[in-house]
Amino acid sequence: MADAVFAAQPYAGISTFGRATHTTDLTGVDVAVLGVPYDSSTSYRGGTRFGPRAIREQSLLLWGYNNAQHVAPFRSLKVVDYGDVDVVPPDIKATHAQIELTASRILDAGCRLLTLGGDHSISLPLLRAHAKKHGPLAVVHFDAHPDTWDSEYPQQPYSHGTPFKRAIDEGLIDTAAYFQIGIRGPTNGPQDYADAITLGARMITLDDFRTRNLADVCAEIRTVVGTKRLYVTLDIDVVDPAFAPGTGTPEVGGLTSYEILQLVRGLRGLNTVGFDLVEVSPPYDHAGITSILAANLAFEFLSLWS
Ligand code: MN
Ligand code: MN
C-alpha cells in the first residue's frame, strides 16, 4: 500500500509503526499495531511505558522487504497503526479492561493484532480477547522468567510476574501446547520452575536450548502446536542484556539477537493469531539497541502473516 512505502527519509516525519497509517478505521485492514504504554506492574526497573514510542521510532528504519522470509509485509498486508490503549496508571484492573476492550474491538473487526508493550501483565487481557474469539490458545512464550507466580505481592493477583498463572486459571491457554523458551537466572528456589511445569508449561530453559540446536527446538514447537491457533508473546528479556539492555528485569546469559530472530522465523506456517512484544524499557537502553531489535522482531511477526 502506498502510504506504507517509505518515501520519506527514515529520520523525517512522525513515527508510526513502519510508517503505517495511524487510524482507528479498520475497514479492509489486515493487521492493527497497538501500543500499550503501561508499566505500573513492574517489580524492578520501570520505563516500559515508553516502549511503544521507542519501537515505533526505530521502526522507521525498517526497509520493506524481508530477505529471510522472502516477503514484503507492508505491501502484501494492509497494516495500520491503531495508536495506544488509554491506560490508567494507578489501576491495573481498569487498564486491563481497556486493553481487552480495544483488542476485542480490533479482533471483532476481523483484523489481526500485533501489540507493543508495556510490561508483561498486558498479555493477560490480550489473551482474554484472543481466547474469547478463538478459544483456548497454544502459546509460545519467550522469556527469561516463567511469569507463573500466583502473586508477587499480598492480595495482588495481577502484575508482570503472574499473567500466565492467571491465564491458565482462566482457561485461556491450551496447556497441551504451552511453550516457555529461554527461562534462566536465579529464582527464589526450584519451586518457581516446578510450579510452571506443574501448571502445564513445556519449559525449554536457556540451558536446554544451548544443548540442543535451533532447528530441533523449532521442530518440537511445530510438532506440538500443529494446526492449533497460536498466540506468541515475547518478553525482550529472553535476549541477553548485552543485546537488549533496555528492559526492567535483565538476566545474563540469554539468547543472541540472531537466535531470537531465527526462533521467530521458525514459527512460519503455524496458525498464529496474535503477537505481543513486551518489556522494552527505553530509559535503560543504550543507543536504541533494544528498541531496534524490538522493531525488527515486530517486523518478523508481521512477515509471518505475509
Ligand atoms: Mn522476563
Ligand atoms: Mn515476562
Side-chain angles (χ1 to χ4, degrees):
M1 57 185 278
D3 51 21
V5 173
F6 306 159
Q9 297 302 322
Y11 45 83
I14 292 165
S15 308
T16 61
F17 187 80
R19 267 189 215 288
T21 303
H22 172 34
T23 180
T24 55
D25 177 359
L26 297 169
T27 311
V29 171
D30 297 306
V31 182
V33 178
L34 177 69
V36 183
Y38 178 78
D39 62 7
S40 300
S41 89
T42 53
S43 51
Y44 188 48
R45 310 193 302 202
T48 54
R49 66 179 60 183
F50 299 106
R53 178 171 289 182
I55 297 167
R56 285 186 174 107
E57 185 177 336
Q58 298 302 340
S59 74
L60 300 192
L61 192 56
L62 295 169
W63 300 97
Y65 186 67
N66 185 325
N67 280 291
Q69 296 196 49
H70 310 291
V71 292
F74 289 105
R75 292 195 187 91
S76 63
L77 300 167
K78 183 169 179 183
V79 181
V80 300
D81 191 325
Y82 194 88
D84 288 343
V85 171
D86 198 9
V87 301
V88 187
D91 189 336
I92 191 167
K93 286 186 185 171
T95 296
H96 283 185
Q98 286 292 108
I99 295 167
E100 186 178 348
L101 192 73
T102 309
S104 290
R105 180 174 182 270
I106 291 167
L107 297 176
D108 288 346
C111 302
R112 285 179 279 195
L113 178 56
L114 194 171
T115 307
L116 307 173
D119 71 47
H120 218 159
S121 75
I122 71 168
S123 293
L124 177 62
L126 292 168
L127 281 165
R128 285 173 180 155
H130 284 82
K132 194 163 55 186
K133 184 177 173 74
H134 298 292
L137 296 153
V139 171
V140 173
H141 168 195
F142 296 106
D143 205 322
H145 313 98
D147 294 353
T148 44
W149 278 333
D150 190 46
S151 66
E152 289 185 85
Y153 307 98
Q155 283 83 53
Q156 297 292 332
Y158 306 109
S159 71
H160 80 156
T162 67
F164 301 98
K165 171 70 164 82
R166 294 286 90 76
I168 290 168
D169 289 347
E170 294 180 22
L172 311 176
I173 296 179
D174 173 356
T175 50
Y178 172 35
F179 281 90
Q180 295 184 342
I181 300 171
I183 309 295
R184 65 184 186 277
T187 61
N188 291 325
Q191 206 58 37
D192 285 11
Y193 289 9
D195 287 347
I197 292 164
T198 300
L199 283 168
R202 189 179 281 258
M203 186 184 289
I204 299 176
T205 66
L206 205 290
D207 287 333
D208 296 334
F209 181 83
R210 282 276 166 264
T211 61
R212 300 170 62 177
N213 64 42
L214 193 140
D216 180 48
V217 170
C218 290
E220 182 184 335
I221 295 169
R222 302 179 74 84
T223 301
V224 171
V225 172
T227 57
K228 289 178 176 176
R229 288 171 174 170
L230 171 66
Y231 188 87
V232 179
T233 178
L234 196 160
D235 181 331
I236 200 70
D237 70 29
V238 75
V239 178
D240 193 275
F243 298 88
T247 195
T249 46
E251 302 289 353
V252 299
L255 298 177
T256 66
S257 306
Y258 185 71
E259 286 167 337
I260 190 64
L261 288 167
Q262 290 294 91
L263 280 164
V264 171
R265 290 165 183 160
L267 304 174
R268 188 160 187 89
L270 294 176
N271 186 14
T272 308
V273 297
F275 292 109
D276 67 53
L277 198 167
V278 298
E279 298 285 352
V280 172
S281 177
Y284 293 97
D285 207 1
H286 302 274
I289 60 176
T290 312
S291 45
I292 291 168
L293 174 60
N296 278 274
L297 287 166
F299 181 64
E300 296 293 337
F301 288 159
L302 276 182
S303 299
L304 291 174
W305 278 333
S306 182

